[in-house]
Amino acid sequence: EAQVTQNPRYLITVTGKKLTVTCSQNMNHEYMSWYRQDPGLGLRQIYYSMNVEVTDKGDVPEGYKVSRKEKRNFPLILESPSPNQTSLYFCASSFKGLADTQYFGPGTRLTVL
Amino acid sequence: DQQVKQNSPSLSVQEGRISILNCDYTNSMFDYFLWYKKYPAEGPTFLISISSIKDKNEDGRFTVFLNKSAKHLSLHIVPSQPGDSAVYFCAASESNSGYALNFGKGTSLLVTP
């Protein structure tokens, strides 16, 4: 089954404790991206990747890092999480880019205390 | 600054009637537009898209209209069904400047029986 998976689905952590949210897709997609969804703000793009080792900033990259060492995985790293990073995070992928359908993962709800 | 605006946070429509969801954008360089649908506790799913070379795209009950001069697009759902109740996000991109995707804040559609 074609899908985008994220782990963990739920996470409660404390300020400053490094964490990684994993994202994996099994569709051999080149394009992957991370979004956060906040009440009243909709979906905002954090980072995206056009292919292995090629990443770029989206609208709200501050406080986040990403890596794309292999095509299927695109982890989101929070080196020193802060409470304002409490949010619902979505990973997405598509075959070539925005002209193709993006498939979203189920979301990761992160709470930073 | 929000470049994609969905000014109606919510919309209620009777089953069988037409639902019209609106979206405005400010960046005249945007040339590709998409609509996504999101149910609670799930990731967004792609619904329909339109390129700036067109002014209309149709897929079953869903039609997207683009008015470039007004920087406005709309999604029409005819006839509306209770299963269409979801949050709808409008998104836009400038394909020549990378792969960033800008989302609106979403419109929550409720289709009542």
Side-chain angles (χ1 to χ4, degrees):
Chain A
E1 180 191 353
Q3 61 182 352
V4 178
T5 56
Q6 296 178 226
N7 281 294
R9 294 289 313 278
Y10 303 91
L11 178 62
I12 300 174
T13 189
V14 294
T15 299
K17 186 176 181 182
K18 181 179 179 180
L19 67 92
T20 299
V21 184
T22 65
C23 173
S24 183
Q25 49 93 3
N26 63 359
M27 296 168 278
N28 202 35
H29 286 170
E30 291 185 358
Y31 177 90
M32 297 184 75
S33 62
W34 276 102
Y35 300 87
R36 59 179 288 175
Q37 184 185 8
D38 301 291
L41 295 175
L43 284 163
R44 294 179 293 168
Q45 194 172 41
I46 303 171
Y47 268 96
Y48 57 93
S49 169
M50 288 77 78
N51 214 326
V52 175
E53 302 291 2
V54 182
T55 63
D56 206 349
K57 297 176 181 178
D59 276 339
V60 287
E62 294 78 21
Y64 304 94
K65 283 175 58 177
V66 292
S67 70
R68 189 89 181 275
K69 298 190 187 311
E70 48 189 342
K71 198 180 236 187
R72 63 180 295 129
N73 296 321
F74 190 44
L76 179 70
I77 304 154
L78 286 72
E79 295 271 3
S80 183
S82 62
N84 64 13
Q85 292 178 298
T86 292
S87 187
L88 179 58
Y89 291 87
F90 290 101
C91 178
S93 75
S94 63
F95 182 58
K96 278 289 184 184
L98 298 171
D100 291 308
T101 301
Q102 280 200 79
Y103 294 85
F104 280 77
T108 295
R109 185 165 293 282
L110 172 66
T111 301
V112 183
L113 302 174
Chain B
D1 190 29
Q2 195 91 16
Q3 299 187 75
V4 177
K5 299 178 183 178
Q6 293 177 257
N7 292 320
S8 298
S10 62
L11 175 67
S12 183
V13 171
Q14 272 192 319
E15 182 178 5
R17 302 281 186 120
I18 183 171
S19 295
I20 300 177
L21 293 89
N22 293 304
C23 178
D24 297 294
Y25 59 96
T26 57
N27 187 342
S28 58
M29 300 301 290
F30 286 153
D31 57 1
Y32 196 75
F33 306 89
L34 310 93
W35 284 93
Y36 283 83
K37 176 179 176 179
K38 184 182 181 302
Y39 293 118
E42 295 183 12
T45 55
F46 171 78
L47 195 56
I48 193 168
S49 63
I50 188 167
S51 160
S52 60
I53 62 173
K54 292 186 171 183
D55 54 19
K56 176 183 174 181
N57 190 25
E58 198 169 349
D59 184 1
R61 296 185 297 112
F62 302 92
T63 303
V64 56
F65 295 91
L66 175 62
N67 182 334
K68 290 187 290 291
S69 61
K71 295 193 186 69
H72 176 82
L73 64 154
S74 60
L75 174 69
H76 293 211
I77 306 173
V78 186
S80 301
Q81 299 173 354
D84 295 329
S85 297
V87 177
Y88 290 79
F89 290 99
C90 171
S93 72
E94 183 186 341
S95 53
N96 288 335
S97 73
Y99 293 85
L101 189 59
N102 298 271
F103 278 85
K105 295 181 182 181
T107 296
S108 179
L109 173 66
L110 176 64
V111 180
T112 56

